[in-house]
Amino acid sequence: GGSITISLPYTLKSGESADGVAIWYLSDSGELQRLTCTYNSKTGLATFSVSHLSYYVVGWTEAWQNPFSDVKPGDWFYEAVAYAVQNDLFQGTSATAFSPNTAMSRAMLVTVLYRLAGSPDVSGLPSSFNDVPDGSWYCKAVSWAAANGITGGVGGSRFAPGDNVTREQAAAFFLRYARLIGKGPAGEATGGSDFADKDKISDWAFEGAMWCGMIGVIKGKPGDNGMLFDPQ
């Protein structure tokens, strides 16, 4: 029910760059599923986190070829898009569009976190919400998120999958996920980020917002009285 961090050695060959090192999960049927990993050129180790011990493959793949006309080098999000798409956390909204300015739904965010966790098996998990249909593209991710304490829904047995995820909801999800994989703060995280509008952050999201600000995941927006978290 937990998570394990694994490091596999890989030596870069002539002409290979660190951003091309990748990890794949090899299923019993012989299918490969790419996982999220980081590669340290100094140690020669590719590191990744998963929820099960299985066969994993380490190797190198060609650098990302950007197919999106709305994502260009120099955009502040360019490297993040490349990383997310290469590691199968995101897909485009079409073959040639990423839609970087489109709002993210609650279903989209839990699906990203589910993929980041290695898309673990959720068979046997009960359906927690009456607005999450069986067979929907996000139903496995929502079941996983609910079972692991990432989300408790919005009340009334509803998850509200199509609602736009707010910044404070995202921060709460991130903190809960970090703690799930053993990378969250050991104690309560309520200091280190002095957002000018922190009094507007909901109580249930306050710790997540402070933690995300402290580690630089969410830096805030400029405002008249200082940096704003803009929780809603």
Side-chain angles (χ1 to χ4, degrees), residues 95-121:
T96 58
F98 183 77
S99 303
N101 295 313
T102 298
M104 176 176 256
S105 70
R106 289 168 54 81
M108 289 164 63
L109 183 53
V110 294
T111 299
V112 170
L113 294 176
Y114 175 64
R115 292 171 180 167
L116 189 61
S119 300
D121 182 23

Side-chain angles (χ1 to χ4, degrees), residues 63-73 75 78 81-82 85 95-96 98:
W64 183 55
Q65 300 296 316
N66 178 18
F68 304 125
S69 60
D70 52 3
V71 177
K72 302 184 184 302
D75 288 337
Y78 181 86
V81 171
V85 173
T96 58
F98 183 77

Side-chain angles (χ1 to χ4, degrees), residues 63-223:
W64 183 55
Q65 300 296 316
N66 178 18
F68 304 125
S69 60
D70 52 3
V71 177
K72 302 184 184 302
D75 288 337
W76 62 268
F77 47 79
Y78 181 86
E79 291 184 2
V81 171
Y83 179 86
V85 173
Q86 280 182 295
N87 287 282
D88 292 328
L89 301 178
F90 277 77
Q91 297 173 349
T93 55
S94 75
T96 58
F98 183 77
S99 303
N101 295 313
T102 298
M104 176 176 256
S105 70
R106 289 168 54 81
M108 289 164 63
L109 183 53
V110 294
T111 299
V112 170
L113 294 176
Y114 175 64
R115 292 171 180 167
L116 189 61
S119 300
D121 182 23
V122 296
S123 56
L125 289 179
S127 178
S128 303
F129 307 107
N130 56 25
D131 60 350
V132 178
D134 291 339
S136 59
W137 59 266
Y138 50 82
C139 67
K140 290 183 178 180
V142 174
S143 294
W144 166 84
N148 288 281
I150 304 296
T151 179
V154 297
S157 297
R158 294 178 59 249
F159 176 70
D163 287 2
N164 291 343
V165 66
T166 65
R167 289 164 63 85
E168 67 177 6
Q169 288 174 356
F173 286 4
F174 293 154
L175 175 60
R176 294 165 189 165
Y177 177 80
R179 283 184 164 145
L180 174 66
I181 64 171
K183 293 186 177 180
E188 189 176 7
T190 56
S193 301
D194 194 22
F195 294 112
D197 59 348
K198 63 182 180 182
D199 60 323
K200 297 181 181 179
I201 301 171
S202 300
D203 291 343
W204 52 265
F206 188 80
E207 187 181 14
M210 294 299 100
W211 177 75
C212 282
M214 181 175 62
I215 67 171
V217 171
I218 298 177
K219 296 180 179 179
K221 301 177 177 181

Side-chain angles (χ1 to χ4, degrees), residues 7-29:
S7 294
L8 296 179
Y10 184 80
T11 301
L12 291 173
K13 301 177 180 63
S14 177
E16 294 181 348
S17 57
D19 59 0
V21 177
I23 296 287
W24 293 267
Y25 159 56
L26 177 62
S27 70
D28 292 340
S29 62

